[in-house]
Each structure stands twice: as C-alpha cells, then as structure tokens.
Amino acid sequence: MTSENEKPAATPRVIEAFDIGQIMNAIPHRYPMLLVDRVVDMVLGESCTGIKNVTINENFFQGHFPSMPVMPGVLIIECMAQTAAVLVVTTLGPDWQGKLVYFMTIENAKFRKPVVPGDQMRVEVVKQRQRGNIWKFSAEAKVDGKVVAEATYAAMILDR
C-alpha cells in the first residue's frame, strides 16, 4: 500500500512480439548480417528475447565448415548484440531507429555446444546498467532450453 505522497511503482511496458519488419525498422542490419528473425518478448529498458532460425542456407555455412556446418561463435555474439540493439532502440523511441550500436567490450564469452542447421536459437538479453549512450548487457543463447553460449558485453549507441 502506498501513502498519499508516494507514487506507485511504474509497470514496465511489455511488448510480446516484434516481426522482421519491426526489427528492420529498429536496427540498420540487413542480409547477410541481420541475425534476428523475431522478438518474442521485450520489457522496455530491461530485457528482450530474440529468435534466430538457423538454416543450412546461411552463407557462412559454405565455409564454416562444409563437412560439419557450425554457426560461428562470433555470429552468435552478434545475434546477442542485435537483440540488445532492438531493445535499446525500442526503449529510446522512434528518434533512435536506425542508429548504430557499436561493441565496446565483450567479456566472459563461453560457447557450450555447437549451433547447427535446424536449430532455433533463443537469445535472452538482460540490461545490467545504462549510463548515457552506453549500455551493458548479459546474454544467453539457448537451443531446446539448453544454454549454448553466454556473454556479457557493453555497447554504445551513436548517430551514423
């Protein structure tokens, strides 16, 4: 119960789904570097869950590795960053759409299991803190509910 002088805590704004068109409006990435197919859950300013459907048609599988296709770890990290970028831009509002988000740090990256064609990767990002235009996140990538990769990273959002 709140007193007359206290304001009730604001309820975080939850967005249940973002399709590919909304993702492309939010971030400037395009094929072959757009790595988020859908956002299935977002709490503005707090967290976001993105989906990457991994198919054999991905251009990187031609060389990584032709006889045993495995999604490169750096692209899993990039998918985490793009999911976070959608959260940042959506939180900040329409004036920030299409702005560039640059990595500043990547820490404690761990790759636990290969991601292969046919997998659906669920990327869960959580904001740890934000100061000005610098945001820090922790993220996990999961396939079938099992963590395949994790990392902590910071990024800066800038004009082009």
Side-chain angles (χ1 to χ4, degrees):
M1 190 165 181
T2 61
S3 72
E4 289 180 29
N5 295 332
E6 288 181 41
K7 291 182 180 179
T11 304
R13 188 163 154 233
V14 176
I15 297 172
E16 293 184 13
F18 243 50
D19 64 24
I20 193 66
Q22 292 166 298
I23 292 167
M24 291 173 67
N25 282 335
I27 61 176
H29 302 76
R30 296 295 181 265
Y31 176 84
M33 285 304 297
L34 181 58
L35 299 175
V36 181
D37 295 320
R38 185 166 187 74
V39 168
V40 294
D41 180 39
M42 182 186 311
V43 179
L44 291 180
E46 294 181 22
S47 63
C48 187
T49 302
I51 300 294
K52 169 63 178 156
N53 295 306
V54 182
T55 72
I56 193 63
N57 297 324
E58 309 283 353
N59 65 340
F60 51 80
F61 285 135
Q62 294 176 35
H64 197 270
F65 304 100
S67 62
M68 179 59 182
V70 175
M71 185 172 183
V74 296
L75 294 181
I76 296 171
I77 298 291
E78 176 65 21
C79 187
M80 292 174 177
Q82 289 181 21
T83 302
V86 171
L87 172 62
V88 169
V89 169
T90 305
T91 297
L92 294 175
D95 290 345
W96 292 89
Q97 288 184 347
K99 302 283 185 188
L100 298 177
V101 181
Y102 293 101
F103 271 125
M104 294 178 63
T105 64
I106 302 170
E107 301 167 344
N108 303 314
K110 294 182 177 83
F111 303 96
R112 308 231 179 251
K113 184 178 178 236
V115 176
V116 299
D119 285 346
Q120 183 180 73
M121 191 168 62
R122 184 179 183 92
V123 176
E124 300 170 358
V125 301
V126 176
K127 181 187 82 173
Q128 291 185 328
R129 69 178 167 268
Q130 182 245 330
R131 282 193 200 117
N133 64 338
I134 299 173
W135 296 62
K136 187 167 185 177
F137 294 91
S138 61
E140 288 184 336
K142 297 178 179 179
V143 173
D144 296 328
K146 294 184 175 138
V147 176
V148 295
E150 60 190 272
T152 302
Y153 51 93
M156 179 184 302
I157 185 166
L158 296 172
D159 287 322
R160 292 179 187 233

